[in-house]
Amino acid sequence: MLPLDDATLLGLLKEDAPYGDLTTRSLGFGASGAKLTMRARGPMTVCGSEEAARIFALLGARAEIAAPSGTAVAAGTLLAEATGPALALFLGWKVAQTLTEWASGIASATAALVGAARAVTPGIGIACTRKAVPGTRALSLKAVVAGGAEIHRTGLSDTVLLFPEHRAFGGPDALASQIARLRAACPERRVVVEVKTLTEAEAAAEAGADVLQLEKFTPDEAAAAARALAGWTGCLAAAGGITAANAAAYAATGMQVLVTSSPYYAKPADVSVAIAPA
């Protein structure tokens, strides 16, 4: 995926240093040549090294990416480095470090979940929802892709997902009539229906849903639904509460896709930064 655009990165810099770096400016060595290196303190799946390098480039330094997003690295691995005026490196330091740590935390958590699920069912799909922290969606989605997952929905504008809350507005025959209406209005889209019981799942399958999203089914309940719908040709997806700790159990149920938001709340990865005179 593309890195964050320059306007966004400049906005992050402006937030952190709206009037420059007072300490470095006051010390008087801002024009001196310097070198900055970013390294992984522990094993991680990298995300954000492109943004980090671009931050330093925008400040007038020369930056190089050593480990692109999506790379699995060991402790001590060089992620990116920059050379240029000390003031530029100090200005970009914490924004670049924090952004890379946060995005790499999401990517690493995603990779752990994907690995746990695919150790049981190699071909199973892992899709991350749109429930990223507001304002962080672009980099959050890049991070989950870097970790080996796919995007469930980028937003409300691109996919059709019929919730029980929608059906509350459709009267007693809402399920079948709303599926039919969505299919007619959006013929090029697959109709996804969220269901909360096996009875709802069977009814939605009968009414023509393309994908059944089983909301908060336990692994045992999901497995029972897969058995009950064994002759159905659509896609079964489990959603709600899926983490790296239980992904293997869900992967063994017969689901084709696991839908999750858990990587967005992962602990940031640990990235060390060193700055020294060039």
Side-chain angles (χ1 to χ4, degrees):
M1 296 180 66
L2 294 174
L4 295 184
D5 61 84
D6 287 356
T8 299
L9 296 176
L10 287 169
L12 296 176
L13 288 167
K14 185 175 181 180
E15 178 185 59
D16 193 48
Y19 307 108
D21 176 357
L22 177 61
T23 304
T24 305
R25 185 173 70 237
S26 298
L27 288 171
F29 61 75
S32 301
K35 181 175 182 178
L36 177 147
T37 57
M38 300 177 65
R39 295 182 182 274
R41 288 190 189 274
M44 66 174 66
T45 298
V46 180
C47 186
S49 51
E50 296 85 3
E51 284 78 8
R54 185 59 183 159
I55 283 169
F56 294 117
L58 288 170
L59 292 168
R62 186 182 68 189
E64 295 183 3
I65 301 163
S69 291
T71 307
V73 301
T77 301
L78 180 68
L79 306 182
E81 60 185 7
T83 56
L87 183 59
L89 302 189
F90 276 94
L91 272 170
W93 170 15
K94 283 300 178 182
V95 175
Q97 180 185 24
T98 303
L99 184 150
T100 304
E101 288 182 326
W102 173 77
S104 296
I106 294 175
S108 299
T110 303
L113 195 155
V114 169
R118 291 184 179 161
V120 176
T121 304
I124 195 166
I126 310 297
C128 289
T129 72
R130 74 183 208 274
K131 291 172 63 178
V133 175
T136 70
R137 189 174 298 178
L139 190 56
S140 294
L141 296 182
K142 178 179 176 177
V144 299
V145 171
E150 294 300 330
I151 299 168
H152 180 239
R153 308 176 81 191
T154 58
L156 290 174
S157 303
D158 66 333
T159 54
V160 175
L161 176 48
L162 180 62
F163 286 104
E165 290 78 4
H166 292 119
R167 301 199 290 274
F169 290 83
D173 298 321
L175 182 59
S177 63
Q178 288 183 339
I179 289 174
R181 181 165 183 166
L182 289 170
R183 189 170 299 288
C186 310
E188 80 286 11
R189 300 282 197 264
R190 292 214 290 177
V191 177
V192 184
V193 180
E194 182 182 277
V195 296
K196 297 187 176 181
T197 67
L198 177 55
T199 299
E200 288 184 359
E202 291 173 324
E206 179 68 23
D210 297 304
V211 181
L212 297 180
Q213 185 164 297
L214 312 184
E215 175 66 11
K216 291 187 167 39
F217 280 48
T218 66
D220 286 345
E221 290 168 342
R227 289 192 297 269
L229 294 162
W232 183 59
T233 58
C235 176
L236 286 174
I242 297 173
T243 67
N246 61 23
Y250 276 101
T253 62
M255 297 293 106
Q256 292 148 283
V257 181
L258 304 183
V259 180
T260 182
S261 303
S262 64
Y264 299 137
Y265 308 101
K267 179 180 178 181
D270 198 352
V271 174
S272 67
V273 172
I275 304 177

